[in-house]
Amino acid sequence: MAKITIRDVAREAGVSISTVSNALNDVDVLNPATKMHVLEVAERLNYIPNLNGKMLKSGKTMMLGFFTTSVAGPYFYKLVETMSRQCERHGYGLNVFVTKDKHVIMSNILGRRVDGVIIYEELKIDEDDIAVMEKDRIKAVFLDREFKGETMGSVIFDSYTAGYEAAKYLIGLGHKRIAYISGVDTMFDSVQRREGYRAALREYGLPPDDDYIIQGYFEEDSTFNAIKAFIRSYGHKLPDAFLAGNDLSAIGCIQALKAHGYEIPTDISVVGFDDIDIAPYFSPPLTTVRNPIARQGILAIDRLVGMIRGEEEGLSQKLPGELIVRGSSHVNIGRADRR
Amino acid sequence: MAKITIRDVAREAGVSISTVSNALNDVDVLNPATKMHVLEVAERLNYIPNLNGKMLKSGKTMMLGFFTTSVAGPYFYKLVETMSRQCERHGYGLNVFVTKDKHVIMSNILGRRVDGVIIYEELKIDEDDIAVMEKDRIKAVFLDREFKGETMGSVIFDSYTAGYEAAKYLIGLGHKRIAYISGVDTMFDSVQRREGYRAALREYGLPPDDDYIIQGYFEEDSTFNAIKAFIRSYGHKLPDAFLAGNDLSAIGCIQALKAHGYEIPTDISVVGFDDIDIAPYFSPPLTTVRNPIARQGILAIDRLVGMIRGEEEGLSQKLPGELIVRGSSHVNIGRADRR
DNA sequence: TGCAAAAATGTAACCGTTAACATGAAGAGA
DNA sequence: TCTCTTCATGTTAACGGTTACATTTTTGCA
């Protein structure tokens, strides 16, 4: 069965294609009676306009693209869920591309498969790519870097200050040996949090030690393994607190410490970032810096839609975190080295 | 700056548009020298073909659609990650639509925004919709129901047998009062698992009790709350085992039981479904029925691509689970009612 | 050198829409 | 009755590619 086009509807209804088009797009120039009739025929034939024709002609796809290296973990899926919902509110669809292939990204963006893009690609998009996008006046919002241009902007979490505040909080509890569990160095948030942490350490006279930077890849199981390995090598001089780059690694870290018989937070404090859904239900409930993921998603979409509509220019927004103190942190009573 | 089209490249290179098209699409009919020249010019002008033009003419978008009510939680994001990767392998992109709006779904499918679709919409797509899709020979794979047609099929987890086996396993441990923590009744997997569980109970002479069906919505925190409420009303006659509809609710259940002082698995056994990433790292490590999510995603994409290529018909596949015994289950020693 | 066949390139139709403009019908005023 | 609006509808040219087919150029061989 061949696909029904606007011409089929026109023929069947005994009108011209432009009349059909006008009827379907609610252009109030038609005789109400004919409009009704056309709509009926379209309904009867199960006519659905071909979006490719529509998009080509109008130059609009009514789709926004989200380019990301991953959707794994609470941070990403929460972001996707919120953005998706916000898109629907603006009448757009959200196209999620999970890829690390820059060529795929660029050809989809520049090939106009979407009207605008949200980018979280861990710096795979470089200066040159951005220049090309700017020349084409692509509308874009970055989530993984600061940027401000005419048609492109950014909405980021202030990870630097969050890292600084979290470290300061741990120092305030009396901790002296504070380790940082990082993601990878292409991740903006991981690096920013680490630098904030370092700044706080320096400020309070605790020299940052590179041995205390542990690669946890922002995942639970890899952190679990990393911490186990760490304990094996540094068991004699374990940190009295861990600042984990995100809640997932905080959880992995706690599991590993527990497995070695340490009690959290009595022996060792652990603080995370994000405040994911399960943070309050974990045992112990996680102390963490809340990342306004939902707000970030909503703002990103709003900015993007604003730029597409030509109502706003790109701007760079930075969202503050909020320290949520729960059960995984505790004043230091010097029990980390009990064995 | 106006967008560069194939005509601009043709003019600049001093050739016709078909030559440009052939050069770019690697049609081996061109003089290598002209091909090279055209490619150079295209490169210099930063020409990227407009995908809308391409799609309209070819009738192919090289995009597959995943329509889902949610991407939240390990099950979904794992599915999305795997499918996305598998798509890339076949040269397709994956378009994720998170929506509950049937109209959005149907117009995107029938409007040919994608070449084929994977559907997990918790029965929002009804018989009539399916009939319309079949008439249009839409290529589709369902993940949330069994289906077999000429251009549409399904790849599902055998949740019924999984529920049956899990319940049988708990009965084998000596448990007599086994509760089931369900999702919602529009969810295929939740219902199937529950029915399998009921069948096992009946088979072993333990009459299923509707009071022992708890709504946990497949989420951690809502299960946590549901179990707390349950304990308040049924504390005097608590189950000696919980069969949770998925690992997330198993975790929420365990947290709630722990909060009330029960020890898992000594006092109460808890078994989940899925075997999500964190299952082995949870304390206690979760006993669960492994859901081959990755395989499901890969097979779904493979089937879909096969149908698009016209190489295969729709077929209905059912993937078996695998009971993974870890630390959250234990032979019943009658301590559930200790207080 | 001439001519047929093969190779390379160009022309134009088409994919399914929208929208600017053209046409035709009906109503109003003289 | 005749023109002038106004309103309703039809005609057609885009949008940016691909591709069947036409045309031109090159090659091989008598």
Side-chain angles (χ1 to χ4, degrees):
Chain A
M1 161 145 195
K3 184 67 195 166
I4 290 164
T5 75
I6 199 170
R7 276 161 241 275
D8 299 321
V9 180
R11 188 173 340 103
E12 184 74 16
V15 296
S16 75
I17 55 169
S18 64
T19 299
V20 178
S21 177
N22 285 331
L24 268 81
N25 293 300
D26 233 12
V27 179
D28 57 351
V29 76
L30 289 186
N31 182 323
T34 43
K35 176 172 165 181
M36 192 73 73
H37 173 230
V38 169
L39 257 28
E40 269 171 25
V41 173
E43 175 75 27
R44 180 156 53 78
L45 297 184
N46 271 315
Y47 169 69
I48 301 259
N50 178 305
L51 295 168
N52 299 319
K54 211 165 178 151
M55 294 184 309
L56 176 57
K57 178 60 190 174
S58 66
K60 297 188 175 309
T61 64
M62 294 314 281
M63 278 272 144
L64 267 30
F66 176 45
F67 290 83
T68 178
T69 45
S70 163
V71 290
Y75 174 79
F76 284 111
Y77 70 68
K78 186 148 198 176
L79 199 53
V80 172
E81 286 260 356
T82 346
M83 293 199 303
S84 186
R85 205 159 306 146
Q86 193 67 3
C87 277
E88 212 157 5
R89 215 165 273 148
H90 286 294
Y92 282 87
L94 184 69
N95 201 332
V96 182
F97 292 82
V98 187
T99 183
K100 297 182 182 182
D101 183 339
K102 196 165 81 177
H103 182 256
V104 169
I105 303 173
M106 292 305 279
S107 66
N108 276 289
I109 293 181
L110 299 172
R112 302 301 151 87
R113 199 192 288 277
V114 289
D115 293 345
V117 289
I118 310 280
I119 298 177
Y120 193 112
E121 278 292 335
E122 293 171 24
L123 310 184
K124 286 198 173 47
I125 312 271
D126 60 31
E127 298 297 322
D128 293 347
D129 303 321
I130 293 189
V132 172
M133 287 167 59
E134 279 202 294
K135 226 167 67 180
D136 263 20
R137 300 191 61 78
I138 297 291
K139 315 293 187 289
V141 172
F142 291 93
L143 261 30
D144 61 348
R145 76 186 76 186
E146 285 192 79
F147 190 90
K148 183 164 162 34
E150 217 179 312
T151 62
M152 312 207 281
S154 64
V155 176
I156 62 166
F157 175 53
D158 187 356
S159 277
Y160 180 90
T161 306
Y164 176 86
E165 293 293 343
K168 199 172 127 184
Y169 162 73
L170 284 170
I171 295 166
L173 290 180
H175 295 293
K176 302 286 181 215
R177 298 200 304 280
I178 305 172
Y180 177 74
I181 306 174
S182 79
V184 282
D185 279 2
T186 51
M187 300 186 83
F188 178 80
D189 285 314
S190 173
V191 173
Q192 292 286 306
R193 285 164 199 182
R194 188 191 66 208
E195 291 312 310
Y197 144 89
R198 275 197 175 131
L201 256 54
R202 275 193 298 269
E203 188 175 325
Y204 289 89
L206 301 170
D209 180 350
D210 277 355
D211 286 348
Y212 274 13
I213 303 286
I214 304 158
Q215 291 277 339
Y217 300 100
F218 272 22
E219 286 167 11
E220 177 155 352
D221 46 358
S222 44
T223 301
F224 181 84
N225 294 324
I227 296 297
K228 286 205 140 194
F230 183 81
I231 293 172
R232 275 196 294 277
S233 359
Y234 288 85
H236 55 288
K237 205 188 169 190
L238 221 53
D240 45 34
F242 285 87
L243 181 55
N246 66 359
D247 286 347
L248 245 27
S249 35
I251 289 176
C253 172
I254 292 175
Q255 307 278 25
L257 292 172
K258 274 186 186 169
H260 279 262
Y262 293 98
E263 273 176 34
I264 315 298
T266 335
D267 299 337
I268 301 177
S269 288
V270 179
V271 170
F273 291 89
D274 286 351
D275 192 26
I276 59 178
D277 292 341
I278 92 169
Y281 303 106
F282 192 70
S283 60
L286 278 185
T287 295
T288 187
V289 184
R290 180 174 293 162
N291 180 345
I293 306 173
R295 255 195 86 218
Q296 189 185 18
I298 291 174
L299 286 175
I301 296 297
D302 287 352
R303 289 293 81 74
L304 190 54
V305 171
M307 290 190 289
I308 292 171
R309 295 208 179 116
E311 292 162 4
E312 24 181 304
E313 288 204 343
L315 84 167
S316 167
Q317 276 181 294
K318 203 186 258 189
L319 309 178
E322 182 192 353
L323 181 73
I324 310 285
V325 176
R326 295 204 186 93
S328 66
S329 55
H330 187 278
V331 279
N332 183 20
I333 52 176
R335 279 179 44 181
D337 289 321
R338 65 182 173 143
R339 56 176 198 166
Chain B
M1 157 147 195
K3 184 69 194 161
I4 289 165
T5 75
I6 197 171
R7 280 158 236 276
D8 299 321
V9 179
R11 188 174 338 103
E12 184 73 15
V15 297
S16 75
I17 55 169
S18 65
T19 300
V20 177
S21 177
N22 286 330
L24 269 82
N25 293 298
D26 232 14
V27 179
D28 57 350
V29 77
L30 290 187
N31 183 325
T34 41
K35 177 172 164 182
M36 192 73 73
H37 174 231
V38 169
L39 256 28
E40 269 171 26
V41 172
E43 175 75 28
R44 180 156 52 78
L45 297 184
N46 271 317
Y47 170 69
I48 300 260
N50 179 304
L51 295 169
N52 298 321
K54 211 165 179 150
M55 295 184 309
L56 176 56
K57 176 59 189 177
S58 67
K60 298 190 175 306
T61 64
M62 294 314 282
M63 279 271 146
L64 268 28
F66 175 46
F67 290 83
T68 178
T69 45
S70 164
V71 289
Y75 174 78
F76 285 111
Y77 69 68
K78 185 145 201 180
L79 199 54
V80 172
E81 287 259 356
T82 343
M83 292 199 304
S84 188
R85 204 158 308 145
Q86 194 66 4
C87 278
E88 213 157 5
R89 217 165 271 149
H90 286 295
Y92 283 86
L94 184 69
N95 201 332
V96 182
F97 293 82
V98 187
T99 182
K100 297 184 180 181
D101 183 339
K102 196 165 80 176
H103 182 256
V104 169
I105 302 172
M106 291 306 277
S107 66
N108 276 290
I109 293 181
L110 300 172
R112 297 299 198 280
R113 199 191 288 277
V114 289
D115 293 344
V117 289
I118 310 279
I119 298 177
Y120 193 113
E121 278 293 334
E122 293 171 24
L123 310 184
K124 285 196 174 52
I125 311 272
D126 61 30
E127 298 296 322
D128 293 348
D129 303 321
I130 293 187
V132 173
M133 286 168 60
E134 280 203 293
K135 228 167 65 181
D136 264 20
R137 300 190 61 78
I138 296 291
K139 314 293 186 289
V141 172
F142 292 93
L143 261 29
D144 61 347
R145 78 186 75 187
E146 286 191 78
F147 190 89
K148 182 162 162 35
E150 217 180 311
T151 63
M152 312 208 280
S154 64
V155 176
I156 62 165
F157 175 53
D158 186 355
S159 277
Y160 180 90
T161 306
Y164 175 85
E165 293 293 342
K168 199 171 126 186
Y169 162 72
L170 284 170
I171 295 166
L173 290 180
H175 295 293
K176 302 283 183 219
R177 299 201 302 280
I178 305 172
Y180 177 75
I181 307 173
S182 78
V184 284
D185 278 2
T186 52
M187 300 186 84
F188 179 80
D189 285 316
S190 172
V191 172
Q192 292 287 305
R193 286 164 199 183
R194 188 192 66 206
E195 290 313 310
Y197 144 90
R198 274 196 176 136
L201 256 55
R202 274 193 300 267
E203 189 175 324
Y204 288 89
L206 301 169
D209 180 351
D210 277 354
D211 287 348
Y212 274 12
I213 303 286
I214 304 157
Q215 290 278 339
Y217 299 100
F218 272 22
E219 286 167 12
E220 177 155 352
D221 46 358
S222 44
T223 301
F224 181 86
N225 295 325
I227 296 296
K228 287 207 139 191
F230 183 81
I231 293 171
R232 277 194 294 278
S233 0
Y234 287 86
H236 55 290
K237 206 189 169 191
L238 221 52
D240 46 34
F242 285 88
L243 181 55
N246 66 359
D247 286 345
L248 245 28
S249 34
I251 289 176
C253 172
I254 291 174
Q255 307 278 26
L257 291 172
K258 274 185 185 171
H260 279 263
Y262 292 98
E263 273 176 34
I264 314 299
T266 334
D267 299 338
I268 301 176
S269 287
V270 179
V271 170
F273 291 88
D274 286 352
D275 191 26
I276 58 178
D277 292 342
I278 92 168
Y281 303 104
F282 192 70
S283 60
L286 279 185
T287 295
T288 186
V289 183
R290 180 173 293 160
N291 181 346
I293 306 174
R295 255 195 88 216
Q296 190 184 18
I298 290 174
L299 285 175
I301 297 297
D302 287 351
R303 290 292 81 74
L304 190 53
V305 171
M307 289 190 291
I308 292 171
R309 296 207 179 118
E311 292 162 3
E312 24 181 302
E313 289 207 342
L315 84 169
S316 168
Q317 274 181 296
K318 203 185 260 190
L319 309 178
E322 181 192 354
L323 181 71
I324 310 284
V325 176
R326 295 202 186 92
S328 66
S329 55
H330 188 277
V331 280
N332 183 21
I333 53 179
R335 278 177 47 180
D337 289 321
R338 65 183 174 148
R339 57 178 198 172

